[in-house]
Amino acid sequence: MTFIDESIFRIEPIVKHGWFLKGSKPSCPVNWSRGKECVFGALNFENGGKLISKQAKKINSKTFIEFTQLLMRDIGSFILVMDNAPWHTSRKAAGFLEEVRDCVEPLHLPPYSPELNPVEPHWKAVRSNLANRLFENTSELKKSLKKALDGVQLDINKQRYLTS
């Protein structure tokens, strides 16, 4: 069973915590850029539960299909558990999933239930690794994001996700 999810990481700083002098007025520098990086993530419990990720410029049906093809090369046959995002349910994606039905069996989570997807805690950990930093440009964000994605290791309770 392979769980899939997507997330967008913006160049804007993620302010999580900080120490400030009492009575001071904290400020956060920004660079006013609208840069972002989109990430596809998949978690397969049979492959040790390591997050498989791919950065992309956009999230759409085309990039979803490309990521699914990458998973097919890495994993082989699997059940693809996903939410009901428009790029998962589009005609293009549905047609692709029908074509590869012999090795990818799609399974949709109930609407508005991110707590059922074990990829979600990974996004939280990655955001925490990127917190309190100002990125000068998108290439700096991409490098830091790749490092954070490679370094995230969570001990996900398989039983909880497979029996809920």
Side-chain angles (χ1 to χ4, degrees):
M1 198 172 277
T2 301
F3 292 84
I4 188 174
D5 197 32
E6 305 81 21
S7 189
I8 297 172
F9 295 87
R10 301 194 184 282
I11 200 167
E12 301 156 355
I14 302 166
V15 181
K16 287 282 214 170
H17 48 76
W19 290 92
F20 305 99
L21 291 173
K22 189 174 183 175
S24 70
K25 191 172 186 177
S27 64
C28 179
V30 294
N31 59 10
W32 302 105
S33 172
R34 293 184 178 263
K36 67 177 183 182
E37 190 67 13
C38 304
V39 181
F40 284 86
L43 190 64
N44 184 299
F45 289 125
E46 286 81 36
N47 285 2
K50 183 162 174 26
L51 184 72
I52 301 166
S53 62
K54 180 180 187 290
Q55 294 183 33
K57 276 284 172 215
K58 333 173 153 178
I59 299 174
N60 57 26
S61 298
K62 181 180 180 251
T63 53
F64 163 68
I65 290 169
E66 289 169 0
F67 185 63
T68 305
Q69 289 169 333
L70 173 92
L71 294 175
M72 289 167 59
R73 284 191 298 274
D74 287 357
I75 300 171
S77 296
F78 56 94
I79 297 170
L80 182 63
V81 183
M82 59 194 147
D83 57 21
N84 294 285
W87 45 88
H88 296 161
T89 57
S90 70
R91 269 189 245 167
K92 189 174 184 177
F96 167 75
L97 291 172
E98 190 57 43
E99 284 176 26
V100 296
R101 188 80 184 198
D102 56 329
C103 59
V104 177
E105 183 181 334
L107 178 66
H108 289 277
L109 291 169
Y112 309 105
S113 56
E115 71 280 358
L116 298 178
N117 193 332
V119 180
E120 293 288 345
H122 285 79
W123 300 144
K124 186 175 180 180
V126 170
R127 285 188 203 296
S128 186
N129 287 340
L130 298 175
N132 298 334
R133 294 173 57 190
L134 177 64
F135 299 105
E136 294 296 321
N137 51 43
T138 13
S139 64
E140 190 181 327
L141 171 66
K142 283 181 188 179
K143 285 181 209 165
S144 297
L145 184 55
K146 181 173 178 13
K147 189 176 177 182
L149 286 164
D150 290 343
V152 71
Q153 275 291 10
L154 297 179
D155 188 22
I156 300 291
N157 184 342
K158 293 185 265 188
Q159 206 72 27
R160 176 178 168 235
Y161 286 102
L162 297 176
T163 58
S164 294

